[in-house]
Amino acid sequence: MATLKRRLPLLKHRLWDPKAETMPRPELERLQLERLQATVRRVYERVPLYRDRLDSAGVRPGDIRTLEDVQRLPFTCKDDLRAAYPYGLFAVPLKDIIRIHASSGTTGLSTVVGYTRRDLRNWSDLVARLLTAGGVTRHDVVHISFGYGLFTGGFGLHQGAERVGASVIPVSSGNTERQVRLMKDFGATALVGTPSYALHIAETMYEMGVSPDELSLRVGLFGAEPSSETLRREIEAKLQILATDNYGLSEVMGPGVSGECLNRNGLHINEDHFLAEIINPETGEVLPEGYTGELVLTTLSKEGIPLLRYRTRDLTRLDSSPCPCGRTFRRMARVQGRTDDMMIIRGVNVFPSQIENVLLEIEGVEPHYELVLDREGALDTLEIRVEVTPEIFEGRMAGLVELEKKIRHRVQSECGITPRVSLVEPKSIQRSQGKAKRVTDRRVF
Ligand code: DLL
């Protein structure tokens, strides 16, 4: 812990673009409205799907007179992008697109996005904002362990870190021992990747006999998958860093939609580029601030593939209370899960993140687990397979039985379902090198 304390005073609250990030709300809202109107006009003129949708809703671009009028616009969802595969929603000809990314779905490349030169410039700037908010400056050596390729994580963080002027190491994911060696040899001060991979890197580091004191890491900027506060603390303790969370999705831009500042009280949304709403995922009704629901985003500056009211499926809530960092952008709470990763077990709604929170607070349990849903007769079953520490694993049988019971009880009281708990050997659950897959659903519906 001494090391962490030594490194923290070096972290200052900084802003990448103070004028934009601390813009008074009335000015920001004027800018948002102007940009919203331009976006609606643009897609109406250039994208047949939007023209049809707006015509059917009886909305003309000129009808958008206030920010609340956004609620008159139709939603867009992932299936719209799939149906338009590959370029059907682009609002500019391909000659004006200089980069293409895609996110893979179960049916192959399901959503394809294109960036104009200006989009790429904005993207770098927005990622530069989150890196700066998380403590990165041009003096940093940034180790990027996100995959490079069609996934937006590697390139997105890369170009933002270059924009900041840091020394960027584009390691990509995989070959974890090499990641540790490179971090040590190249003096990485910032680690960028998914939280689950960061944890794996940390554990590999200890297995290699490398202590965090031999590294120069100060901060970690993690995103691309849900994770809990407890997991963050675990990674911070293992790597002796301060970790922030950042959020984005490829359809809307990639990383750079929102990110935490060092106060870590929610992720500031880049509201000059994205208009955020929270809706009830079942009814589509817009919810008041503070309520948890599905995040819906409208892009305000994108040229390549502007999106109106894109349903992210991510569950969060908004908070406009002032933040000591001075940013005036509203914050979204850490993503709690997706509307589509909610498990319904015997009628009870449970999110994997709830179970993770319970598990990580229990001593003797490692932050590696798998949730297996199955069915016995007509009844749903949930099995939690979780690794235990070597001491517990090699200890007395009674200790294991006790621990199993404790997990079962805690999950029962927190989530309202009684799981079967299997304590498994240390290191037996597969480690992820990108986004972790924690749920297996074997139920046949
Ligand atoms: O994951 C973009 C990204 C890359 C964000 C690197 C941050 C850092 P997709 O592959 O399209 O894009 O996946 C988007 O990942 O809808 C969320 O469900 C989830 N997600 C992304 N960031 C977070 C986060 C990138 N910080 C989907 N917390 C999103 C929780 C996240 N979930």
Side-chain angles (χ1 to χ4, degrees):
M1 239 21 188
T3 324
L4 184 57
K5 289 214 185 83
R6 212 170 56 231
R7 287 175 188 161
L8 286 186
L10 300 175
L11 290 172
K12 285 214 184 85
H13 293 271
R14 289 196 174 85
L15 295 134
W16 174 250
D17 183 348
K19 184 167 176 299
E21 294 175 78
T22 61
M23 195 181 284
R25 291 298 302 182
E27 199 183 317
L28 174 64
E29 283 164 19
R30 265 197 309 279
L31 177 68
Q32 286 184 310
L33 177 60
E34 237 167 64
R35 290 184 169 175
L36 174 67
Q37 289 167 329
T39 300
V40 176
R41 225 176 299 122
R42 198 179 166 77
V43 295
Y44 189 78
E45 284 160 12
R46 297 174 177 224
V47 186
L49 175 119
Y50 280 120
R51 175 182 285 263
D52 293 349
R53 292 259 169 98
L54 288 165
D55 280 344
S56 331
V59 184
R60 285 301 166 109
D63 295 337
I64 305 300
R65 297 199 186 89
T66 67
L67 277 180
E68 285 65 50
D69 287 335
V70 71
Q71 297 181 21
R72 302 182 56 186
L73 301 173
F75 291 119
T76 312
C77 61
K78 202 170 180 103
D79 280 343
D80 295 321
L81 276 104
R82 285 198 184 115
Y85 179 88
Y87 302 142
L89 287 184
F90 283 19
V92 297
L94 264 192
K95 71 175 173 49
D96 295 331
I97 295 285
I98 63 166
R99 173 90 67 77
I100 289 173
H101 280 281
S103 85
S104 54
T106 39
T107 51
L109 295 177
S110 51
T111 55
V112 180
V113 287
Y115 302 76
T116 64
R117 193 170 297 283
R118 212 171 107 199
D119 289 338
L120 278 193
R121 217 175 27 237
N122 283 337
W123 189 16
S124 312
D125 264 316
L126 298 190
V127 174
R129 286 185 191 175
L130 76 86
L131 286 163
T132 308
V136 174
T137 70
R138 66 195 176 87
H139 299 291
D140 277 293
V141 177
V142 180
H143 179 108
I144 300 190
S145 67
F146 275 128
Y148 280 67
L150 289 172
F151 173 54
T152 52
F155 278 100
L157 267 303
H158 181 107
Q159 65 210 10
E162 279 190 351
R163 183 90 178 90
V164 168
S167 314
V168 189
I169 312 175
V171 192
S172 197
S173 61
N175 201 340
T176 312
E177 290 193 0
R178 181 165 161 265
Q179 303 253 358
V180 175
R181 270 198 307 276
L182 290 180
M183 285 203 300
K184 186 168 163 222
D185 296 347
F186 293 180
T189 55
L191 172 63
V192 168
T194 58
S196 58
Y197 194 45
L199 179 66
H200 183 40
I201 292 179
E203 291 179 343
T204 307
M205 177 185 87
Y206 283 99
E207 277 163 28
M208 290 165 69
V210 175
S211 108
D213 286 338
E214 296 174 63
L215 303 186
S216 316
L217 279 186
R218 291 185 313 127
V219 289
L221 295 103
F222 305 125
E225 68 181 8
S227 71
S228 61
E229 197 52 47
T230 343
L231 184 61
R232 160 158 51 203
R233 283 201 295 273
E234 179 101 25
I235 298 172
E236 287 188 328
K238 287 205 156 92
L239 288 175
Q240 296 288 291
I241 55 170
L242 189 106
T244 49
D245 182 18
N246 67 83
Y247 165 88
L249 61 167
S250 48
E251 294 86 339
V252 168
M253 160 167 277
V257 172
S258 65
E260 283 181 323
C261 64
L262 296 174
N263 295 301
R264 305 192 295 174
N265 52 5
L267 293 78
H268 290 279
I269 302 174
N270 284 312
E271 289 190 283
D272 50 343
H273 292 263
F274 308 102
L275 190 65
E277 301 168 84
I278 298 289
I279 63 164
N280 174 331
E282 263 129 52
T283 62
E285 170 208 5
V286 176
L287 297 176
E289 181 172 313
Y291 281 78
T292 298
E294 179 180 345
L295 176 69
V296 170
L297 293 168
T298 299
T299 64
L300 297 176
S301 64
K302 264 175 69 179
E303 296 179 332
I305 171 165
L307 292 177
L308 300 186
R309 304 191 88 197
Y310 185 72
R311 294 190 58 160
T312 64
R313 305 242 164 244
D314 294 316
L315 294 167
T316 181
R317 59 176 193 281
L318 299 180
D319 178 2
S320 63
S321 64
C323 180
C325 74
R327 285 175 183 80
T328 46
F329 296 153
R330 284 186 299 173
R331 306 184 298 281
M332 55 185 259
R334 181 188 274 280
V335 171
Q336 174 190 326
R338 290 177 55 83
T339 51
D340 46 13
D341 80 9
M342 184 176 77
M343 307 178 290
I344 306 184
I345 303 165
R346 301 189 188 187
V348 181
N349 299 349
V350 186
F351 287 99
S353 58
Q354 282 175 284
I355 296 187
E356 176 174 309
N357 272 325
V358 173
L359 289 179
L360 299 193
E361 297 211 320
I362 296 177
E363 211 170 314
V365 164
E366 294 283 0
H368 298 287
Y369 64 94
E370 231 174 6
L371 307 176
V372 184
L373 296 169
D374 212 335
R375 197 160 267 172
E376 263 165 26
L379 290 181
D380 296 331
T381 58
L382 167 68
E383 181 190 1
I384 301 178
R385 303 184 67 239
V386 60
E387 283 181 17
V388 291
T389 56
E391 300 76 61
I392 293 274
F393 193 73
E394 282 145 23
R396 291 172 310 118
M397 189 63 193
L400 284 168
V401 173
E402 193 98 324
L403 184 59
E404 242 176 59
K405 215 159 102 193
K406 188 167 184 182
I407 297 175
R408 213 170 28 246
H409 280 147
R410 290 269 183 89
V411 172
Q412 158 71 42
S413 69
E414 292 287 324
C415 313
I417 44 162
T418 313
R420 182 177 304 149
V421 177
S422 309
L423 302 178
V424 301
E425 203 176 333
K427 316 246 173 306
S428 60
I429 288 180
Q430 204 185 345
R431 303 296 189 253
S432 94
Q433 301 196 336
K435 302 193 189 217
K437 182 180 179 310
R438 295 204 159 104
V439 182
T440 308
D441 197 342
R442 299 200 180 121
R443 295 173 298 180
V444 184
F445 290 96

